[in-house]
Amino acid sequence: MAASTSPPVDLSAALVLAPPTAAEWLVVLPVAWCLTFGALLVMMRRSIRLHPTITIVGLAGLVGIDALLLLEIIRNGPMTMVMGRWLPPFGIAFTADLTGALFAFVAALVALAAGIFSIADINDSGRRYGFYPLLLVLMAGVSGAFLTGDIFNLYVWFEVLLISSFGLLVLGSEHEQIDGTVKYGFLNLVATTLFLVATGYLYAVFGTLNMADIARKAEGLRSNAPLMTLAGLYTLAFGMKAAAFPVNFWLPASYHTPRVVVSALFAGLLTKVGIYALIRVMVMLFPVEREELSFVLAIAGSLTMIVGVLGALAQSDFRRLLGFLIISGIGSILAGIAVGGPGGIGGAIFYALHSMLVMTALYFASGIAMRLGASASIVTLAGLYRRHVGFAALSLMLCFAVSGLPPFSGFWPKVMLVKAALDIGAWWLAAVLLLAGFLTTIATGRLFLLAYWRDGAVAIGETPPLPATTLAPLAALTLLTLVLGLYPEPLLATIQDAAAGLADPSAYGESVFPGGWPQ
Amino acid sequence: MEAWFALLVGIFFTVAVYLMLSKFIIRVLLGVAVLGNAVNLLIFTGGRLTREVPPVIAGDAEVLAGPAANALPQALILTAIVISFSFFAFLLVLSWRAYDDLKTDNTDEMRVAEPVNEPAPPLGY
């Protein structure tokens, strides 16, 4: 081919040769950082004593990177990093906007708390089986899912976090865990396969996988392409991931079986990745279809809330009760997506961030309760209040927060959601939101009454020691919910911007296609 | 050709759903494997099936001469095959362990994590 006769082709339109700025690296750094630390820990499998320290350093670094990314996006708007400088729609773009950066930042906080909690919770055999590498690879998958700007890439990150979550779930190989993992594994695999089905159709219809490109092209294709089918498939796939009502049964079957810290991590991260993907696809890519599906979403959300909280009322196991509370929270977020508008979407994002913090902290509390009371059942747990007053106070605060009572972080999203529902005249949805909050208060109130308040048969002197590494992350997350409840203005303002950015993705598109959208 | 492929994908999906509705884990697993292949065929069909024109742009042209098959779905399927294969391997081992530990491959009898007839939570103290 030496004597090529091809005319000179102007490649400048497809390639950008300028090096990326330092700030742009922040978009991919969370993923690369976690993968690097994960790989490092896999190589150091003989020195498992060092694993927790390295993991905590890595996760603290991740919190820092995500904080910098968030600040940068608040200042300059969405940012895009393109692999190999192949421009979208051909290259795979990592695009971070406010919503993605907020989720990634809170996810990193939760993971750091879980990393600290794990010191006392994961024994040597857990470390030998690779808890810490799996945790870091899970975080790589979660960060990738929050920061990617490409639908197929999102699928790949889903699979990365799924395979590491299988590993974490089955860590310990008890009968219960194997049973839970079978159900979790099969159902989640079916959900991601549905996601892939939807993505296959999406590519056939749009000929592109870049989210900004899809958001732009959707308008022109709406009249004659089966976009409603796509939106429906995505709703089903992500609804299953997020444990929404008719497809939620894998969650209570599996979340109470692994190590406490694994439950806490899953409660904080995995369902919220599904919710984030649902918000991203339904609000940003298919706004018209979201509007048309809103009644279905509202019904699904209401049923999820009620079924979740009724399930929580019927449980006597601390952690299974919490599993149903996660589901109930997902219902509130779905209600927000159904209502739409800045209030609904903002409320949904706020509720999701709040739920990440609170559910993780509640699972930490269940672990400490099991340690103090030597039981996981609220039939036999008793007298925790007398065992450890500080822990009981923190748990009570979390019970308030998850019920949506002031002055904790659950209050504001609930107000936003109820107000948004009333504003569009969906009084019944507002009523269900309030009823779910009321029933949650009863469920957590009964939990507190039985496990903490009731006089225990065991004498106070026998209290086992409580390592500071278990109490500190619990206290930190609880104080964070209190601070967010008392002073929500900065977060509220950011979330309003994030919701506005989803509703009008022109800044997002501008960041992916700096020279204007190609024809 | 698309119509035949669509029919084939439909048959794959039918078989996969039928197998996944089974009570026995190994059949569910086979259903998942078939489902993965159904999706791969779906993506493949989504990228147009044209045998005649290769998706290569001639030296003196800027765009393809005629309607050609899209090459990207093959890359997507490659990714999806690797992923679904690794998941299949994991779930196969998991199923074996579950059969070994729980002494059953009937999902109705797998009630370790969610026992039947659990006592209700206390109504008062």
Side-chain angles (χ1 to χ4, degrees):
Chain A
M1 295 296 281
S4 171
T5 52
S6 60
V9 178
D10 183 19
L11 291 175
S12 61
L15 302 172
V16 171
L17 298 172
T21 61
E24 279 178 352
W25 283 101
L26 282 175
V27 184
V28 285
L29 202 53
V31 180
W33 180 266
C34 292
L35 281 177
T36 311
F37 273 83
L40 188 71
L41 288 183
V42 172
M43 286 192 289
M44 294 173 60
R45 67 182 187 283
R46 285 179 196 285
S47 38
I48 49 171
R49 302 246 158 239
L50 292 174
H51 275 197
T53 323
I54 296 175
T55 306
I56 288 166
V57 169
L59 290 174
L62 181 66
V63 172
I65 293 169
D66 280 332
L68 280 179
L69 176 67
L70 187 60
L71 286 179
E72 193 66 31
I73 289 173
I74 289 174
R75 217 174 295 141
N76 298 331
M79 278 197 299
T80 299
M81 173 93 176
V82 189
M83 305 308 126
R85 301 308 284 166
W86 278 94
L87 283 193
F90 304 109
I92 293 172
F94 260 59
T95 307
D97 65 347
L98 260 181
T99 318
L102 272 174
F103 273 91
F105 177 61
V106 177
L109 280 181
V110 163
L112 178 61
I116 295 169
F117 192 88
S118 73
I119 296 173
D121 194 51
I122 297 293
N123 54 13
D124 271 2
S125 92
R127 288 178 198 179
R128 207 164 290 124
Y129 281 119
F131 171 80
Y132 289 101
L134 285 172
L135 167 64
L136 283 163
V137 177
L138 179 84
M139 281 318 290
V142 169
S143 310
F146 286 147
L147 300 178
T148 187
D150 184 279
I151 288 267
F152 196 82
N153 209 226
L154 181 67
Y155 162 77
V156 174
W157 292 121
F158 258 106
E159 302 289 359
V160 169
L161 71 89
L162 198 58
I163 196 82
S164 22
S165 72
F166 287 172
L168 288 172
L169 195 59
V170 84
L171 194 92
S173 327
E174 289 155 19
H175 284 197
E176 254 195 342
Q177 287 181 313
I178 289 176
D179 188 13
T181 312
V182 166
K183 285 147 192 175
Y184 176 88
F186 277 98
L187 290 173
N188 268 285
L189 192 57
V190 171
T192 36
T193 311
L194 276 173
F195 176 17
L196 190 58
V197 172
T199 306
Y201 279 129
L202 182 87
Y203 186 69
V205 170
F206 283 85
T208 178
L209 292 161
N210 185 287
M211 293 190 199
D213 208 20
I214 294 165
R216 178 185 66 92
K217 284 186 177 158
E219 199 50 60
L221 286 167
R222 191 152 281 130
S223 52
N224 51 13
L227 297 193
M228 200 61 193
T229 314
L230 285 179
L233 269 171
Y234 275 120
T235 310
L236 179 61
F238 293 139
M240 204 162 166
K241 284 269 156 209
F245 163 58
V247 282
N248 66 334
F249 294 100
W250 56 269
L251 193 152
S254 59
Y255 268 29
H256 63 289
T257 58
R259 300 279 170 268
V260 170
V261 61
V262 176
S263 296
L265 203 60
F266 284 13
L269 300 181
L270 298 193
T271 49
K272 306 309 180 293
V273 179
I275 275 296
Y276 165 80
L278 190 64
I279 292 178
R280 172 71 69 202
V281 167
M282 293 306 279
V283 179
M284 193 174 100
L285 305 190
F286 301 123
V288 177
E289 286 73 21
R290 184 204 61 76
E291 194 76 35
E292 286 174 37
L293 274 176
S294 62
F295 187 66
V296 179
L297 282 171
I299 295 286
S302 308
L303 287 173
T304 311
M305 273 185 262
I306 297 301
V307 167
V309 77
L310 289 182
L313 280 169
Q315 292 305 318
S316 52
D317 182 290
F318 201 142
R319 279 203 281 170
R320 288 180 71 182
L321 189 155
L322 295 183
F324 280 100
L325 287 185
I326 301 179
I327 297 176
S328 176
I330 293 296
S332 308
I333 303 171
L334 279 182
I337 301 175
V339 170
I345 304 300
I349 295 173
F350 199 157
Y351 201 101
L353 299 177
H354 141 81
S355 176
M356 283 164 97
L357 297 172
V358 171
M359 290 318 303
T360 305
L362 271 170
Y363 271 100
F364 287 164
S366 77
I368 298 175
M370 279 153 70
R371 196 179 274 265
L372 284 178
S375 165
S377 165
I378 56 172
V379 181
T380 45
L381 268 180
L384 289 177
Y385 178 74
R386 303 184 72 185
R387 295 269 177 87
H388 200 299
V389 179
F391 165 61
L394 290 175
S395 303
L396 184 64
M397 284 153 92
L398 288 172
C399 289
F400 271 58
V402 76
S403 311
L405 298 176
F408 299 97
S409 61
F411 178 65
W412 299 108
K414 208 125 216 176
V415 169
M416 285 169 84
L417 291 175
V418 169
K419 182 171 181 305
L422 286 177
D423 280 348
I424 63 159
W427 55 268
W428 57 274
L429 192 59
V432 173
L433 276 162
L434 292 174
L435 178 69
F438 174 64
L439 291 175
T440 312
T441 316
I442 295 181
T444 54
R446 193 189 59 182
L447 170 74
F448 192 81
L449 212 64
L450 289 172
Y452 292 80
W453 202 254
R454 179 168 59 164
D455 266 340
V458 190
I460 302 165
E462 294 173 26
T463 304
L466 202 57
T469 50
T470 60
L471 210 54
L474 175 74
L477 290 183
T478 313
L479 287 183
L480 197 55
T481 60
L482 180 63
V483 169
L484 287 183
L486 289 175
Y487 185 53
E489 280 90 349
L491 185 63
L492 266 177
T494 316
I495 281 171
Q496 293 297 357
D497 287 350
L502 284 174
D504 174 24
S506 56
Y508 191 93
E510 186 60 34
S511 132
V512 180
F513 300 107
W517 269 324
Q519 276 315 304
Chain B
M1 188 117 118
E2 266 95 350
W4 289 107
F5 261 74
L7 198 65
L8 187 65
V9 171
I11 293 171
F12 266 63
F13 269 108
T14 319
V15 172
V17 171
Y18 175 73
L19 284 171
M20 286 195 298
L21 290 175
S22 168
K23 274 190 279 202
F24 298 98
I25 280 197
I26 203 73
R27 285 194 195 163
V28 180
L29 194 60
L30 291 175
V32 169
V34 175
L35 184 69
N37 285 310
V39 181
N40 291 341
L41 275 177
L42 174 90
I43 301 176
F44 190 57
T45 316
R48 284 197 298 273
L49 302 165
T50 309
R51 207 165 53 91
E52 286 76 18
V53 188
V56 179
I57 304 175
D60 54 350
E62 289 201 341
V63 289
L64 284 165
N70 192 332
L72 186 64
Q74 300 183 16
L76 300 183
I77 294 170
L78 186 62
T79 314
I81 286 176
V82 173
I83 290 174
S84 61
F85 181 73
S86 63
F87 275 72
F88 182 78
F90 180 88
L91 288 179
L92 189 63
V93 175
L94 182 70
S95 308
W96 167 249
R97 268 308 295 273
Y99 179 65
D100 213 26
D101 276 20
L102 311 174
K103 307 286 176 226
T104 176
D105 68 339
N106 184 337
T107 43
D108 283 352
E109 289 164 16
M110 291 188 163
R111 297 303 299 256
V112 187
E114 291 177 292
V116 207
N117 297 330
E118 260 192 314
L123 296 172
Y125 66 92

